[in-house]
PDB file of all heavy atoms in Angstrom:
ATOM      1  N   LEU A   7      30.735 -50.903  72.567  1.00  0.00           N
ATOM      2  CA  LEU A   7      29.448 -50.298  72.554  1.00  0.00           C
ATOM      3  C   LEU A   7      29.608 -48.778  72.347  1.00  0.00           C
ATOM      4  O   LEU A   7      30.115 -48.172  73.340  1.00  0.00           O
ATOM      5  CB  LEU A   7      28.700 -50.670  73.831  1.00  0.00           C
ATOM      6  CG  LEU A   7      27.330 -50.038  74.021  1.00  0.00           C
ATOM      7  CD1 LEU A   7      26.343 -50.491  72.936  1.00  0.00           C
ATOM      8  CD2 LEU A   7      26.795 -50.259  75.425  1.00  0.00           C
ATOM      9  N   ALA A   8      29.156 -48.299  71.269  1.00  0.00           N
ATOM     10  CA  ALA A   8      29.289 -46.807  71.027  1.00  0.00           C
ATOM     11  C   ALA A   8      28.029 -46.200  71.469  1.00  0.00           C
ATOM     12  O   ALA A   8      26.945 -46.677  71.066  1.00  0.00           O
ATOM     13  CB  ALA A   8      29.523 -46.608  69.482  1.00  0.00           C
ATOM     14  N   VAL A   9      28.112 -45.111  72.192  1.00  0.00           N
ATOM     15  CA  VAL A   9      26.914 -44.494  72.767  1.00  0.00           C
ATOM     16  C   VAL A   9      26.949 -42.989  72.198  1.00  0.00           C
ATOM     17  O   VAL A   9      27.958 -42.350  72.368  1.00  0.00           O
ATOM     18  CB  VAL A   9      26.876 -44.427  74.296  1.00  0.00           C
ATOM     19  CG1 VAL A   9      25.663 -43.663  74.839  1.00  0.00           C
ATOM     20  CG2 VAL A   9      26.868 -45.914  74.815  1.00  0.00           C
ATOM     21  N   SER A  10      25.837 -42.543  71.639  1.00  0.00           N
ATOM     22  CA  SER A  10      25.740 -41.246  71.318  1.00  0.00           C
ATOM     23  C   SER A  10      24.421 -40.671  71.961  1.00  0.00           C
ATOM     24  O   SER A  10      23.483 -41.392  72.150  1.00  0.00           O
ATOM     25  CB  SER A  10      25.650 -40.985  69.777  1.00  0.00           C
ATOM     26  OG  SER A  10      24.541 -41.744  69.208  1.00  0.00           O
ATOM     27  N   VAL A  11      24.540 -39.318  72.242  1.00  0.00           N
ATOM     28  CA  VAL A  11      23.387 -38.768  73.049  1.00  0.00           C
ATOM     29  C   VAL A  11      22.932 -37.506  72.279  1.00  0.00           C
ATOM     30  O   VAL A  11      23.776 -36.638  71.847  1.00  0.00           O
ATOM     31  CB  VAL A  11      23.916 -38.268  74.427  1.00  0.00           C
ATOM     32  CG1 VAL A  11      22.779 -37.666  75.226  1.00  0.00           C
ATOM     33  CG2 VAL A  11      24.404 -39.521  75.153  1.00  0.00           C
ATOM     34  N   LYS A  12      21.616 -37.325  72.126  1.00  0.00           N
ATOM     35  CA  LYS A  12      21.129 -36.058  71.542  1.00  0.00           C
ATOM     36  C   LYS A  12      20.850 -35.122  72.718  1.00  0.00           C
ATOM     37  O   LYS A  12      20.055 -35.442  73.598  1.00  0.00           O
ATOM     38  CB  LYS A  12      19.798 -36.434  70.838  1.00  0.00           C
ATOM     39  CG  LYS A  12      19.142 -35.146  70.240  1.00  0.00           C
ATOM     40  CD  LYS A  12      17.777 -35.486  69.587  1.00  0.00           C
ATOM     41  CE  LYS A  12      17.104 -34.207  69.101  1.00  0.00           C
ATOM     42  NZ  LYS A  12      15.828 -34.565  68.543  1.00  0.00           N
ATOM     43  N   ARG A  13      21.538 -34.037  72.686  1.00  0.00           N
ATOM     44  CA  ARG A  13      21.415 -33.020  73.749  1.00  0.00           C
ATOM     45  C   ARG A  13      20.180 -32.187  73.431  1.00  0.00           C
ATOM     46  O   ARG A  13      19.869 -31.886  72.338  1.00  0.00           O
ATOM     47  CB  ARG A  13      22.638 -32.269  73.893  1.00  0.00           C
ATOM     48  CG  ARG A  13      23.818 -32.991  74.510  1.00  0.00           C
ATOM     49  CD  ARG A  13      24.981 -32.035  74.680  1.00  0.00           C
ATOM     50  NE  ARG A  13      26.135 -32.717  75.288  1.00  0.00           N
ATOM     51  CZ  ARG A  13      26.380 -32.661  76.619  1.00  0.00           C
ATOM     52  NH1 ARG A  13      25.661 -32.040  77.444  1.00  0.00           N
ATOM     53  NH2 ARG A  13      27.524 -33.266  77.064  1.00  0.00           N
ATOM     54  N   THR A  14      19.521 -31.751  74.552  1.00  0.00           N
ATOM     55  CA  THR A  14      18.425 -30.799  74.476  1.00  0.00           C
ATOM     56  C   THR A  14      18.888 -29.455  74.870  1.00  0.00           C
ATOM     57  O   THR A  14      20.028 -29.343  75.486  1.00  0.00           O
ATOM     58  CB  THR A  14      17.289 -31.298  75.373  1.00  0.00           C
ATOM     59  OG1 THR A  14      17.737 -31.303  76.766  1.00  0.00           O
ATOM     60  CG2 THR A  14      16.840 -32.707  75.026  1.00  0.00           C
ATOM     61  N   PRO A  15      18.076 -28.435  74.739  1.00  0.00           N
ATOM     62  CA  PRO A  15      18.568 -27.112  75.174  1.00  0.00           C
ATOM     63  C   PRO A  15      18.859 -27.087  76.749  1.00  0.00           C
ATOM     64  O   PRO A  15      19.775 -26.466  77.188  1.00  0.00           O
ATOM     65  CB  PRO A  15      17.343 -26.220  74.967  1.00  0.00           C
ATOM     66  CG  PRO A  15      16.683 -26.838  73.766  1.00  0.00           C
ATOM     67  CD  PRO A  15      16.880 -28.348  73.935  1.00  0.00           C
ATOM     68  N   ALA A  16      18.163 -27.965  77.536  1.00  0.00           N
ATOM     69  CA  ALA A  16      18.442 -28.013  78.967  1.00  0.00           C
ATOM     70  C   ALA A  16      19.756 -28.746  79.249  1.00  0.00           C
ATOM     71  O   ALA A  16      20.317 -28.531  80.399  1.00  0.00           O
ATOM     72  CB  ALA A  16      17.301 -28.740  79.676  1.00  0.00           C
ATOM     73  N   THR A  17      20.272 -29.656  78.370  1.00  0.00           N
ATOM     74  CA  THR A  17      21.411 -30.395  78.687  1.00  0.00           C
ATOM     75  C   THR A  17      22.646 -29.921  77.943  1.00  0.00           C
ATOM     76  O   THR A  17      23.743 -30.365  78.228  1.00  0.00           O
ATOM     77  CB  THR A  17      21.169 -31.901  78.375  1.00  0.00           C
ATOM     78  OG1 THR A  17      21.007 -32.017  76.958  1.00  0.00           O
ATOM     79  CG2 THR A  17      20.093 -32.498  79.137  1.00  0.00           C
ATOM     80  N   ARG A  18      22.533 -28.968  77.095  1.00  0.00           N
ATOM     81  CA  ARG A  18      23.712 -28.398  76.379  1.00  0.00           C
ATOM     82  C   ARG A  18      24.685 -27.796  77.406  1.00  0.00           C
ATOM     83  O   ARG A  18      24.243 -26.962  78.243  1.00  0.00           O
ATOM     84  CB  ARG A  18      23.222 -27.368  75.326  1.00  0.00           C
ATOM     85  CG  ARG A  18      22.771 -28.064  74.077  1.00  0.00           C
ATOM     86  CD  ARG A  18      22.663 -27.047  72.956  1.00  0.00           C
ATOM     87  NE  ARG A  18      21.802 -27.631  71.944  1.00  0.00           N
ATOM     88  CZ  ARG A  18      20.550 -27.273  71.721  1.00  0.00           C
ATOM     89  NH1 ARG A  18      20.050 -26.224  72.239  1.00  0.00           N
ATOM     90  NH2 ARG A  18      19.859 -27.899  70.812  1.00  0.00           N
ATOM     91  N   GLY A  19      25.916 -28.089  77.209  1.00  0.00           N
ATOM     92  CA  GLY A  19      26.932 -27.506  78.032  1.00  0.00           C
ATOM     93  C   GLY A  19      27.064 -28.149  79.451  1.00  0.00           C
ATOM     94  O   GLY A  19      27.882 -27.808  80.228  1.00  0.00           O
ATOM     95  N   LYS A  20      26.151 -29.112  79.766  1.00  0.00           N
ATOM     96  CA  LYS A  20      26.185 -29.802  81.057  1.00  0.00           C
ATOM     97  C   LYS A  20      26.944 -31.103  80.993  1.00  0.00           C
ATOM     98  O   LYS A  20      27.032 -31.755  79.911  1.00  0.00           O
ATOM     99  CB  LYS A  20      24.788 -30.071  81.542  1.00  0.00           C
ATOM    100  CG  LYS A  20      23.915 -28.906  81.640  1.00  0.00           C
ATOM    101  CD  LYS A  20      24.375 -28.030  82.761  1.00  0.00           C
ATOM    102  CE  LYS A  20      23.475 -26.839  83.015  1.00  0.00           C
ATOM    103  NZ  LYS A  20      23.930 -25.942  84.038  1.00  0.00           N
ATOM    104  N   LYS A  21      27.617 -31.434  82.115  1.00  0.00           N
ATOM    105  CA  LYS A  21      28.338 -32.770  82.163  1.00  0.00           C
ATOM    106  C   LYS A  21      27.293 -33.861  82.139  1.00  0.00           C
ATOM    107  O   LYS A  21      26.243 -33.790  82.708  1.00  0.00           O
ATOM    108  CB  LYS A  21      29.063 -32.775  83.471  1.00  0.00           C
ATOM    109  CG  LYS A  21      29.976 -34.106  83.599  1.00  0.00           C
ATOM    110  CD  LYS A  21      30.614 -34.160  84.978  1.00  0.00           C
ATOM    111  CE  LYS A  21      31.587 -33.055  85.081  1.00  0.00           C
ATOM    112  NZ  LYS A  21      32.412 -33.087  86.358  1.00  0.00           N
ATOM    113  N   LEU A  22      27.597 -34.954  81.370  1.00  0.00           N
ATOM    114  CA  LEU A  22      26.805 -36.096  81.294  1.00  0.00           C
ATOM    115  C   LEU A  22      27.503 -37.265  81.936  1.00  0.00           C
ATOM    116  O   LEU A  22      28.642 -37.478  81.793  1.00  0.00           O
ATOM    117  CB  LEU A  22      26.493 -36.518  79.829  1.00  0.00           C
ATOM    118  CG  LEU A  22      25.742 -35.515  78.950  1.00  0.00           C
ATOM    119  CD1 LEU A  22      25.528 -36.056  77.618  1.00  0.00           C
ATOM    120  CD2 LEU A  22      24.385 -35.116  79.594  1.00  0.00           C
ATOM    121  N   PHE A  23      26.774 -38.039  82.708  1.00  0.00           N
ATOM    122  CA  PHE A  23      27.295 -39.259  83.336  1.00  0.00           C
ATOM    123  C   PHE A  23      26.672 -40.424  82.408  1.00  0.00           C
ATOM    124  O   PHE A  23      25.538 -40.471  82.140  1.00  0.00           O
ATOM    125  CB  PHE A  23      26.783 -39.460  84.711  1.00  0.00           C
ATOM    126  CG  PHE A  23      27.281 -38.437  85.694  1.00  0.00           C
ATOM    127  CD1 PHE A  23      26.318 -37.707  86.386  1.00  0.00           C
ATOM    128  CD2 PHE A  23      28.602 -38.160  85.851  1.00  0.00           C
ATOM    129  CE1 PHE A  23      26.672 -36.676  87.270  1.00  0.00           C
ATOM    130  CE2 PHE A  23      28.986 -37.116  86.752  1.00  0.00           C
ATOM    131  CZ  PHE A  23      28.034 -36.405  87.435  1.00  0.00           C
ATOM    132  N   LEU A  24      27.532 -41.387  82.017  1.00  0.00           N
ATOM    133  CA  LEU A  24      27.068 -42.661  81.385  1.00  0.00           C
ATOM    134  C   LEU A  24      27.332 -43.775  82.309  1.00  0.00           C
ATOM    135  O   LEU A  24      28.465 -44.051  82.691  1.00  0.00           O
ATOM    136  CB  LEU A  24      27.956 -42.802  80.059  1.00  0.00           C
ATOM    137  CG  LEU A  24      27.497 -42.133  78.819  1.00  0.00           C
ATOM    138  CD1 LEU A  24      27.505 -40.589  78.915  1.00  0.00           C
ATOM    139  CD2 LEU A  24      28.329 -42.641  77.655  1.00  0.00           C
ATOM    140  N   PHE A  25      26.233 -44.336  82.719  1.00  0.00           N
ATOM    141  CA  PHE A  25      26.337 -45.482  83.588  1.00  0.00           C
ATOM    142  C   PHE A  25      25.946 -46.731  82.866  1.00  0.00           C
ATOM    143  O   PHE A  25      24.935 -46.865  82.315  1.00  0.00           O
ATOM    144  CB  PHE A  25      25.306 -45.359  84.779  1.00  0.00           C
ATOM    145  CG  PHE A  25      25.572 -44.088  85.671  1.00  0.00           C
ATOM    146  CD1 PHE A  25      24.746 -43.020  85.695  1.00  0.00           C
ATOM    147  CD2 PHE A  25      26.699 -44.055  86.441  1.00  0.00           C
ATOM    148  CE1 PHE A  25      25.019 -41.952  86.518  1.00  0.00           C
ATOM    149  CE2 PHE A  25      26.982 -43.052  87.305  1.00  0.00           C
ATOM    150  CZ  PHE A  25      26.140 -41.939  87.297  1.00  0.00           C
ATOM    151  N   LEU A  26      26.907 -47.680  82.940  1.00  0.00           N
ATOM    152  CA  LEU A  26      26.694 -49.048  82.359  1.00  0.00           C
ATOM    153  C   LEU A  26      26.586 -49.985  83.662  1.00  0.00           C
ATOM    154  O   LEU A  26      27.508 -50.092  84.403  1.00  0.00           O
ATOM    155  CB  LEU A  26      27.782 -49.456  81.467  1.00  0.00           C
ATOM    156  CG  LEU A  26      27.491 -50.734  80.685  1.00  0.00           C
ATOM    157  CD1 LEU A  26      26.304 -50.439  79.656  1.00  0.00           C
ATOM    158  CD2 LEU A  26      28.739 -51.059  79.843  1.00  0.00           C
ATOM    159  N   SER A  27      25.409 -50.664  83.803  1.00  0.00           N
ATOM    160  CA  SER A  27      25.180 -51.416  85.021  1.00  0.00           C
ATOM    161  C   SER A  27      24.511 -52.776  84.732  1.00  0.00           C
ATOM    162  O   SER A  27      23.982 -52.982  83.643  1.00  0.00           O
ATOM    163  CB  SER A  27      24.344 -50.540  86.043  1.00  0.00           C
ATOM    164  OG  SER A  27      23.104 -50.219  85.422  1.00  0.00           O
ATOM    165  N   GLN A  28      24.617 -53.536  85.710  1.00  0.00           N
ATOM    166  CA  GLN A  28      23.928 -54.907  85.596  1.00  0.00           C
ATOM    167  C   GLN A  28      22.470 -54.832  85.920  1.00  0.00           C
ATOM    168  O   GLN A  28      21.689 -55.721  85.521  1.00  0.00           O
ATOM    169  CB  GLN A  28      24.596 -55.915  86.512  1.00  0.00           C
ATOM    170  CG  GLN A  28      26.063 -56.259  86.148  1.00  0.00           C
ATOM    171  CD  GLN A  28      26.707 -57.124  87.111  1.00  0.00           C
ATOM    172  OE1 GLN A  28      26.596 -56.970  88.358  1.00  0.00           O
ATOM    173  NE2 GLN A  28      27.465 -58.100  86.648  1.00  0.00           N
ATOM    174  N   LYS A  29      22.010 -53.803  86.661  1.00  0.00           N
ATOM    175  CA  LYS A  29      20.603 -53.614  86.934  1.00  0.00           C
ATOM    176  C   LYS A  29      20.164 -52.193  86.522  1.00  0.00           C
ATOM    177  O   LYS A  29      20.993 -51.324  86.473  1.00  0.00           O
ATOM    178  CB  LYS A  29      20.349 -53.777  88.491  1.00  0.00           C
ATOM    179  CG  LYS A  29      20.592 -55.169  88.960  1.00  0.00           C
ATOM    180  CD  LYS A  29      20.171 -55.276  90.433  1.00  0.00           C
ATOM    181  CE  LYS A  29      20.365 -56.685  90.886  1.00  0.00           C
ATOM    182  NZ  LYS A  29      19.984 -56.910  92.322  1.00  0.00           N
ATOM    183  N   ALA A  30      18.935 -52.059  86.243  1.00  0.00           N
ATOM    184  CA  ALA A  30      18.419 -50.776  85.743  1.00  0.00           C
ATOM    185  C   ALA A  30      18.491 -49.767  86.923  1.00  0.00           C
ATOM    186  O   ALA A  30      18.139 -50.073  88.051  1.00  0.00           O
ATOM    187  CB  ALA A  30      16.996 -50.907  85.233  1.00  0.00           C
ATOM    188  N   LEU A  31      18.836 -48.533  86.519  1.00  0.00           N
ATOM    189  CA  LEU A  31      18.912 -47.394  87.528  1.00  0.00           C
ATOM    190  C   LEU A  31      17.622 -46.577  87.463  1.00  0.00           C
ATOM    191  O   LEU A  31      17.443 -45.712  88.353  1.00  0.00           O
ATOM    192  CB  LEU A  31      20.175 -46.536  87.278  1.00  0.00           C
ATOM    193  CG  LEU A  31      21.491 -47.267  87.275  1.00  0.00           C
ATOM    194  CD1 LEU A  31      22.601 -46.211  87.101  1.00  0.00           C
ATOM    195  CD2 LEU A  31      21.674 -48.047  88.581  1.00  0.00           C
ATOM    196  N   THR A  32      16.839 -46.798  86.421  1.00  0.00           N
ATOM    197  CA  THR A  32      15.588 -45.951  86.284  1.00  0.00           C
ATOM    198  C   THR A  32      14.400 -46.889  86.099  1.00  0.00           C
ATOM    199  O   THR A  32      14.437 -47.995  85.746  1.00  0.00           O
ATOM    200  CB  THR A  32      15.755 -45.077  85.099  1.00  0.00           C
ATOM    201  OG1 THR A  32      15.855 -45.860  83.904  1.00  0.00           O
ATOM    202  CG2 THR A  32      16.884 -44.050  85.160  1.00  0.00           C
ATOM    203  N   GLU A  33      13.205 -46.262  86.318  1.00  0.00           N
ATOM    204  CA  GLU A  33      11.948 -46.888  85.992  1.00  0.00           C
ATOM    205  C   GLU A  33      11.784 -46.900  84.492  1.00  0.00           C
ATOM    206  O   GLU A  33      12.598 -46.295  83.801  1.00  0.00           O
ATOM    207  CB  GLU A  33      10.799 -46.030  86.518  1.00  0.00           C
ATOM    208  CG  GLU A  33      10.791 -45.815  88.041  1.00  0.00           C
ATOM    209  CD  GLU A  33      10.292 -47.008  88.834  1.00  0.00           C
ATOM    210  OE1 GLU A  33       9.821 -48.030  88.204  1.00  0.00           O
ATOM    211  OE2 GLU A  33      10.287 -47.028  90.095  1.00  0.00           O
ATOM    212  N   LYS A  34      10.802 -47.506  83.951  1.00  0.00           N
ATOM    213  CA  LYS A  34      10.596 -47.613  82.531  1.00  0.00           C
ATOM    214  C   LYS A  34      10.348 -46.172  81.927  1.00  0.00           C
ATOM    215  O   LYS A  34      10.767 -45.911  80.798  1.00  0.00           O
ATOM    216  CB  LYS A  34       9.363 -48.457  82.159  1.00  0.00           C
ATOM    217  CG  LYS A  34       9.598 -49.969  82.419  1.00  0.00           C
ATOM    218  CD  LYS A  34       8.431 -50.738  82.037  1.00  0.00           C
ATOM    219  CE  LYS A  34       8.787 -52.215  82.269  1.00  0.00           C
ATOM    220  NZ  LYS A  34       7.679 -53.127  81.981  1.00  0.00           N
ATOM    221  N   ASP A  35       9.804 -45.301  82.693  1.00  0.00           N
ATOM    222  CA  ASP A  35       9.561 -43.870  82.228  1.00  0.00           C
ATOM    223  C   ASP A  35      10.814 -43.027  82.331  1.00  0.00           C
ATOM    224  O   ASP A  35      10.785 -41.841  81.907  1.00  0.00           O
ATOM    225  CB  ASP A  35       8.408 -43.314  83.004  1.00  0.00           C
ATOM    226  CG  ASP A  35       8.713 -42.941  84.438  1.00  0.00           C
ATOM    227  OD1 ASP A  35       9.786 -43.244  84.966  1.00  0.00           O
ATOM    228  OD2 ASP A  35       7.774 -42.398  85.123  1.00  0.00           O
ATOM    229  N   GLY A  36      11.857 -43.538  82.938  1.00  0.00           N
ATOM    230  CA  GLY A  36      13.112 -42.782  83.001  1.00  0.00           C
ATOM    231  C   GLY A  36      13.410 -42.165  84.371  1.00  0.00           C
ATOM    232  O   GLY A  36      14.463 -41.535  84.603  1.00  0.00           O
ATOM    233  N   ARG A  37      12.477 -42.161  85.333  1.00  0.00           N
ATOM    234  CA  ARG A  37      12.749 -41.570  86.682  1.00  0.00           C
ATOM    235  C   ARG A  37      13.621 -42.522  87.432  1.00  0.00           C
ATOM    236  O   ARG A  37      13.524 -43.794  87.303  1.00  0.00           O
ATOM    237  CB  ARG A  37      11.481 -41.397  87.409  1.00  0.00           C
ATOM    238  CG  ARG A  37      10.559 -40.413  86.691  1.00  0.00           C
ATOM    239  CD  ARG A  37       9.679 -39.743  87.622  1.00  0.00           C
ATOM    240  NE  ARG A  37       8.642 -38.915  86.894  1.00  0.00           N
ATOM    241  CZ  ARG A  37       8.931 -37.660  86.353  1.00  0.00           C
ATOM    242  NH1 ARG A  37      10.131 -37.241  86.485  1.00  0.00           N
ATOM    243  NH2 ARG A  37       8.049 -37.058  85.648  1.00  0.00           N
ATOM    244  N   PHE A  38      14.516 -42.004  88.215  1.00  0.00           N
ATOM    245  CA  PHE A  38      15.459 -42.740  88.983  1.00  0.00           C
ATOM    246  C   PHE A  38      14.659 -43.750  89.936  1.00  0.00           C
ATOM    247  O   PHE A  38      13.610 -43.366  90.555  1.00  0.00           O
ATOM    248  CB  PHE A  38      16.307 -41.945  89.945  1.00  0.00           C
ATOM    249  CG  PHE A  38      17.226 -41.004  89.208  1.00  0.00           C
ATOM    250  CD1 PHE A  38      17.573 -39.798  89.694  1.00  0.00           C
ATOM    251  CD2 PHE A  38      17.930 -41.425  88.074  1.00  0.00           C
ATOM    252  CE1 PHE A  38      18.465 -38.893  89.080  1.00  0.00           C
ATOM    253  CE2 PHE A  38      18.824 -40.571  87.402  1.00  0.00           C
ATOM    254  CZ  PHE A  38      19.088 -39.308  87.903  1.00  0.00           C
ATOM    255  N   LEU A  39      15.212 -44.980  90.092  1.00  0.00           N
ATOM    256  CA  LEU A  39      14.830 -45.873  91.109  1.00  0.00           C
ATOM    257  C   LEU A  39      15.502 -45.303  92.379  1.00  0.00           C
ATOM    258  O   LEU A  39      16.708 -45.567  92.571  1.00  0.00           O
ATOM    259  CB  LEU A  39      15.264 -47.311  90.861  1.00  0.00           C
ATOM    260  CG  LEU A  39      14.464 -47.966  89.685  1.00  0.00           C
ATOM    261  CD1 LEU A  39      15.195 -49.201  89.193  1.00  0.00           C
ATOM    262  CD2 LEU A  39      13.088 -48.284  90.133  1.00  0.00           C
TER     263      LEU A  39
END
């Protein structure tokens, strides 16, 4: 599974965590559960 991410001005230069999980970690809108 190849993952690519489009960085925004706010995320440029910041460390990114990629989480692959069996259950969703966020709501449908993207906010953390």
